Structure formats: structure tokens, C-alpha cells
Amino acid sequence: DEDTSWAKQILGDGPPILMISPCSSHPLRNWQATRYATVADYAISKLGMRVVLTGGPSDLEVATGREIESAMKNTAQNLIAKDTIRQSVALLKQATIVISPDSGPAHLASCVGTPVIGLYAATPSKRSGPYNSIELCVDKYAEAARKFRHKEPRELRWGQRIEFPGVMDLIETADVIEKLDAFSREII
């Protein structure tokens, strides 16, 4: 209850919240900060959403948050490294939708019933995706298998990771915006 109260106070009232948790513990599963910024600006300008950045206190997460903010034309609320694990879960529960690569926050958001646009290329969403939001995932694993392993996905052992530099670049901002638009037409 205390963490939920904290999250509600920090977020306040307002438009629907797009929460971006941009980092995975596996850096090669992370999407480019500039692409997150493009999607964030779209959510604010075209969908009337608020954007909140969340994540842990690692140097990578803090730097990624700053890079997203720097690349944005609009303003996001940056809460990276400003919460505890329990507060993070409370924040995820308050979000309207979350965007995240294959990461703990994607699964935590799914656990608390918050829809997740999962970003998958290094791993298949059908194996590693947020189980309540598989249909919202952008999954480029098949393309990654062909480009980086020179095989069809069915030729790889189940769940084989494709963690190569550039694999997440297969996910275009238009792919994510398409999922966000589809979601917003149904919910917002």
C-alpha cells in the first residue's frame, strides 16, 4: 500500500501513461535510445500520452535515460534510479502501457496486468515475451535468425539467443508505433 501510494503521488493525475523501461540486463537486447525518443515524442504529440522513463541505478540505465531525454523534442518524466524494486512494481501497475526489451520490468508489468509492447529480436517473444501481451510484441527473431545465424528459426534449437551487435536495429520505430496505435485505438 505504501509503494502504491508513493507511485500515485509521484505520477499524479493526468493523461494515460506510456512507461518506457529501456534496458535489459543483456546490453545486446537493448534498443537505441533515439528510437525510444521518437516513439515517446509520437506518444506525447499524437496520442496525448505522458511518458515516464523507469529503470534501475546502473550506469547504463541512467545514461540511456539521459540519452532518451536529450533526443526527445517533448519532455518525459525520468524516474530512472529513483525508486526501489517494490516502488518500481507499483509504478508499472499505474502505467497504461509499457515499452521494454526482454527484461525483468516487462515481465513484472505483465504480472500486475499492465500491457507491454515487448521488443524482441535477440530472443523469440513466444518463448521470452510478457505472457499477457504476446500479441503486442514486436518480434523480429525470424529476421535475426536469417541475418545473423543464416538459418530459419525452426533450424535453431528452441530459444537460442541471437545476441549480436545490431540485432535490435531490426526493430523499426514504425513497428513500435504501429503496436502503440493499435493499442490506443482499443483502450485510450
Side-chain angles (χ1 to χ4, degrees), residues 6-161:
W6 175 86
K8 286 180 178 179
Q9 181 181 2
I10 287 291
L11 296 173
D13 292 326
I17 297 171
L18 167 60
M19 195 164 287
I20 298 174
S21 182
C23 293
S24 169
S25 61
H26 297 256
L28 293 174
R29 294 182 192 177
N30 291 342
W31 204 38
Q32 292 180 34
T34 54
R35 292 185 182 189
Y36 280 119
T38 299
V39 172
D41 281 329
Y42 179 87
I44 293 167
S45 299
K46 302 294 184 188
L47 302 177
M49 299 182 86
R50 292 184 288 159
V51 173
V52 177
L53 306 177
T54 63
S58 73
D59 291 343
L60 175 63
E61 290 170 279
V62 171
T64 300
R66 286 187 187 135
E67 192 176 344
I68 292 168
E69 284 184 296
S70 293
M72 287 180 66
K73 295 174 185 161
N74 296 292
T75 302
Q77 183 177 6
N78 188 343
L79 298 178
I80 294 175
K82 296 179 182 170
D83 59 7
T84 66
I85 296 274
R86 291 171 60 120
Q87 290 170 336
S88 175
V89 173
L91 287 171
L92 292 166
K93 191 170 185 171
Q94 299 302 313
T96 307
I97 190 164
V98 172
I99 296 177
S100 182
D102 185 3
S103 67
H107 300 291
L108 290 171
S110 190
C111 285
V112 298
T114 301
V116 179
I117 297 175
L119 308 179
Y120 289 82
T123 56
S125 64
K126 286 184 173 53
R127 178 185 184 272
S128 303
Y131 65 92
N132 287 323
S133 299
I134 296 299
E135 75 286 351
L136 285 173
C137 290
V138 176
D139 191 322
K140 297 293 182 164
Y141 184 78
E143 288 179 39
R146 292 181 201 107
K147 181 174 181 173
F148 293 97
R149 297 279 186 193
H150 310 292
K151 295 182 178 183
E152 290 299 316
R154 69 181 182 287
E155 296 175 292
L156 300 175
R157 72 176 160 68
W158 173 246
Q160 184 172 2
R161 294 179 182 145

